[in-house]
Amino acid sequence: MRLLLVEDHVPLADELLAGLNRQGYAVDWLADGRDAVHQGSTEPYDLIILDLGLPGLPGLDVLAQWRASGLATPVLILTARGSWAERIEGLKAGADDYLTKPFHPEELYLRIQALLRRSHGQVNQPTLQAAGLHLDEGRQCVVRDGNDIQLTAAEFRLLRYFMLHPEQILSKSHLAEHLYDGETERDSNVLEVHVNHLRRKLGKSVIETRRGQGYLFGGQAR
Ligand code: CA
């Protein structure tokens, strides 16, 4: 999953970038509100973390412009402690969730996981589930019939994307756009290798190849 982090406080942004990378997210970082308006509506983000106090343009205006232009991406806002008015204005402007500074990074990770599950129709489940698999996002492994199957970091990122998009044809270029940040070179051969590793671990039928179209996860495995 690819996230946009908009935060002008550099030490916090650094900490969050490192933590979110360890959680298996590809993250682009911006510090300026005007840049965020543009990049947030042109790049295919799966979720956006938005600080409200920003140079260039206040976060509330950034969010209002995104929503006015029809951007439906889930947005989690970061608000100042004790500012209930900010939280209310943020929710009115179209935020999906908020966190009050200071917060523990673990709380942010759990809220992101919940928001992503919810925005992909997995409303009533405490963990990500698809095709008979449970993804343990804390331990970055997958569980089937009570047994752990270990994953590399790259396999975990790919499988999480597949499990949030079951029974959908996903082209290699689409997957690359959502698995790598804007700075990373995208190599579809590497994707193929990771798909083959997942097939070896989970069974060949879990990920089908649709010639000329891409991959289909969980089409037969229910
Ligand atoms: Ca700020």
Side-chain angles (χ1 to χ4, degrees):
M1 309 302 279
R2 184 166 165 209
L3 315 186
L4 175 63
L5 171 66
V6 190
E7 168 60 64
D8 63 311
H9 186 52
V10 176
L12 177 60
D14 277 344
E15 185 193 348
L16 294 180
L17 276 172
L20 290 166
N21 279 319
R22 281 194 298 274
Q23 295 289 312
Y25 299 107
V27 190
D28 293 336
W29 169 52
L30 292 175
D32 182 277
R34 282 164 307 195
D35 297 342
V37 169
H38 174 71
Q39 193 165 319
S41 47
T42 49
E43 293 290 317
Y45 293 111
D46 298 294
L47 182 140
I48 298 171
I49 301 160
L50 176 69
D51 181 36
L52 292 187
L54 290 173
L57 190 69
L60 275 177
D61 295 355
V62 174
L63 179 56
Q65 290 195 29
W66 281 337
R67 292 309 187 218
S69 71
L71 186 78
T73 310
V75 175
L76 185 152
I77 54 173
L78 304 178
T79 69
R81 176 156 55 177
S83 180
W84 58 266
E86 225 178 53
R87 293 198 290 278
I88 288 172
E89 290 306 314
L91 293 169
K92 278 188 187 165
D96 298 273
D97 200 358
Y98 65 83
L99 258 182
T100 302
K101 291 179 181 181
F103 54 86
H104 194 287
E106 185 68 21
E107 184 175 0
L108 176 65
Y109 306 151
L110 291 172
R111 284 177 184 271
I112 290 171
Q113 290 169 17
L115 265 180
L116 287 172
R117 282 199 305 274
R118 220 185 299 153
S119 66
H120 290 84
Q122 295 214 4
V123 181
N124 295 319
Q125 292 147 355
T127 61
L128 181 52
Q129 301 173 24
L133 301 169
H134 291 245
L135 195 69
D136 186 326
E137 295 185 78
R139 295 188 299 138
Q140 300 200 359
C141 71
V142 66
V143 183
R144 181 162 58 193
D145 301 328
N147 299 314
D148 287 359
I149 301 168
Q150 299 303 322
L151 301 169
T152 65
E155 291 162 6
F156 169 73
R157 286 170 179 232
L158 180 58
L159 183 60
R160 176 165 57 193
Y161 198 84
F162 276 134
M163 289 179 70
L164 283 166
H165 303 84
E167 298 172 55
Q168 293 176 35
I169 293 173
L170 302 168
S171 70
K172 282 184 199 168
S173 60
H174 176 97
L175 284 169
E177 276 194 326
H178 287 268
L179 292 171
Y180 302 121
D181 61 47
E183 310 275 287
T184 306
E185 208 184 314
R186 292 160 193 182
D187 181 350
S188 63
N189 292 323
V190 173
L191 264 179
E192 246 170 76
V193 170
H194 295 316
V195 166
N196 284 328
H197 287 168
L198 283 176
R199 283 175 172 151
R200 222 170 291 158
K201 291 182 177 184
L202 304 173
K204 219 172 160 29
S205 64
V206 171
I207 305 165
E208 293 167 53
T209 299
R210 294 291 173 95
R211 212 163 288 282
Q213 295 178 295
Y215 296 111
L216 183 80
F217 170 84
Q220 328 170 315
R222 283 179 311 155

